[in-house]
Amino acid sequence: MDESDVKQQERNELRRRAEEVLRGRTERLRELSSEDIEKLVHELSVHQIELEMQNEELRRAHDELEKRVEEQTAELARSNAELEQFAYIASHDLQEPLRTVSGFTQLLAKRYRGKLDKDADDFISYIVDGATRMQKMIDDLLEYSRVGTRGKPFERTDLEAVFNQVLTNLKVSIEQNGAVLTHDPLPTVMADATQMVQLFQNLISNAIKFRKKDEPPRIHVSAERMGDEWVLSVRDNGIGIAPEFMGRLFQVFARGHASSEYPGTGIGLAICKRIVERHGGRIWAESEPGKGSTFYFTIPARDAR
């Protein structure tokens, strides 16, 4: 007997057993009295009503949940819009008085430096330095607020071209620090090309800035398709990030080092986060002090190769 005959016998046996079960159930139903059948029908009707009531409760709960989600989403969007507007207006309105303070302070420094005592020269220097740093913070705050309000429509963006543009923009810094940049093949994604340049430039310039003193920066950019998104990373061999700072890494004006040691306002990574989230992605970092850092971010693989 070959294998097909064995399978046919198994199917016949299963069919025979099923027919016996059906015959048994039919015979048991015939044995029921009309009173038993009415009772069974009543119980089934009650059960059906209970199921319908439960389904209705589930529908109401689902509708209420959807309504709450919609309301919270609308409130969050309104709150974000107000925050962006506030940041823009506050930063813009602060520009003029700050220019006045900075301009007259620089005039004081030019005209009276060395003509007063040393304390006066120091005080003027502090004011000039403070005004300069405040101007930079306002400029960065404006840039942060414009991520959502001044962004361009998404279009097919070749990240290879983006990477090359960043290399051009950072040419002086790369050469001065002896940085070595490598990359895997990068995809084409639906994105705001200008913001992609800003994103990669912020991450790569940070990798150059936070270098080890006795070792040239080595930075590698990679991309991997995972499901319906691209996971991109920027890995460096720099000083790394302290564990206690990881929780506030992407906050506005968050700094893990003194500005005298590593200049900057601490808003660059917050801008990166805004850009990635505008594109429907997420961003995070992994790091070990003294062994470098890797920043990851995702971009949806819409119409991408």
Side-chain angles (χ1 to χ4, degrees):
M1 182 180 295
D2 59 22
E3 185 178 353
S4 61
D5 293 333
V6 172
K7 290 184 178 180
Q8 183 61 41
Q9 283 189 353
E10 291 176 351
R11 286 195 290 269
N12 292 338
E13 179 64 20
L14 288 174
R15 187 181 298 110
R16 184 185 64 78
R17 291 180 182 178
E19 290 174 350
E20 287 181 355
V21 171
L22 287 173
R23 281 197 299 270
R25 290 182 176 178
T26 302
E27 290 173 0
R28 284 197 295 273
L29 284 173
R30 288 173 179 171
E31 294 172 359
L32 293 175
S33 65
S34 60
E35 184 180 346
D36 291 333
I37 292 176
E38 288 179 2
K39 183 179 179 181
L40 180 60
V41 170
H42 176 71
E43 290 177 353
L44 288 173
S45 299
V46 171
H47 184 59
Q48 182 178 1
I49 292 172
E50 290 176 349
L51 285 176
E52 289 177 353
M53 292 175 64
Q54 291 175 1
N55 286 336
E56 182 61 28
E57 290 178 0
L58 286 173
R59 279 194 294 270
R60 284 200 298 267
H62 179 266
D63 292 342
E64 180 65 23
L65 180 60
E66 279 192 339
K67 182 180 178 182
R68 290 183 180 179
V69 170
E70 288 176 359
E71 291 175 349
Q72 291 178 356
T73 301
E75 176 64 21
L76 181 61
R78 185 188 63 80
S79 178
N80 286 340
E82 289 179 352
L83 181 61
E84 289 178 356
Q85 185 68 8
F86 171 78
Y88 176 77
I89 292 174
S91 301
H92 186 271
D93 290 349
L94 283 173
Q95 294 275 13
E96 189 56 36
L98 183 60
R99 288 194 191 99
T100 301
V101 172
S102 179
F104 278 100
T105 305
Q106 291 175 15
L107 187 60
L108 278 173
K110 182 178 180 180
R111 288 188 178 183
Y112 297 102
R113 188 181 302 276
K115 297 181 180 179
L116 305 174
D117 59 21
K118 185 178 182 304
D119 285 344
D121 288 345
D122 290 341
F123 295 157
I124 291 174
S125 295
Y126 296 151
I127 296 172
V128 172
D129 180 63
T132 302
R133 285 189 288 112
M134 178 62 76
Q135 183 67 56
K136 177 60 177 170
M137 291 176 72
I138 290 175
D139 290 342
D140 286 350
L141 187 58
L142 274 170
E143 187 175 359
Y144 177 80
S145 70
R146 287 169 176 166
V147 170
T149 59
R150 302 282 183 94
K152 298 177 181 178
F154 295 171
E155 59 184 6
R156 287 181 61 83
T157 300
D158 182 0
L159 295 185
E160 292 274 356
V162 167
F163 181 81
N164 290 331
Q165 181 62 55
V166 171
L167 292 185
T168 299
N169 295 349
L170 297 178
K171 185 175 185 297
V172 174
S173 179
I174 291 171
E175 292 177 350
Q176 288 178 344
N177 290 276
V180 178
L181 278 81
T182 56
H183 73 289
D184 293 340
L186 300 177
T188 294
V189 298
M190 292 299 292
D192 179 335
T194 300
Q195 290 188 347
M196 285 295 101
V197 171
Q198 186 177 18
L199 171 61
F200 275 99
Q201 188 163 313
N202 282 0
L203 294 176
I204 292 173
S205 62
N206 272 358
I208 296 174
K209 180 195 299 185
F210 296 101
R211 54 169 296 186
K212 294 176 183 176
K213 294 181 179 179
D214 58 348
E215 189 176 347
R218 295 186 177 276
I219 303 158
H220 183 73
V221 177
S222 64
E224 180 181 1
R225 176 73 178 263
M226 298 185 67
D228 58 355
E229 64 183 10
W230 285 98
V231 179
L232 296 109
S233 65
V234 178
R235 185 180 73 245
D236 66 58
N237 63 337
I239 61 174
I241 303 167
E244 60 270 19
F245 184 63
M246 293 294 288
R248 52 194 181 93
L249 192 59
F250 298 99
Q251 294 179 4
V252 176
F253 298 135
R255 296 188 56 86
H257 304 273
S259 58
S260 58
E261 186 177 7
Y262 293 99
T265 60
I267 202 172
L269 289 178
I271 291 175
C272 289
K273 185 173 185 289
R274 287 289 301 277
I275 292 174
V276 171
E277 289 179 346
R278 178 177 179 248
H279 286 75
R282 61 195 189 282
I283 186 170
W284 69 98
E286 296 177 358
S287 181
E288 186 175 347
K291 295 186 177 181
S293 306
T294 303
F295 283 83
Y296 299 90
F297 64 92
T298 64
I299 298 291
R302 296 185 292 260
D303 192 29
R305 60 174 172 83

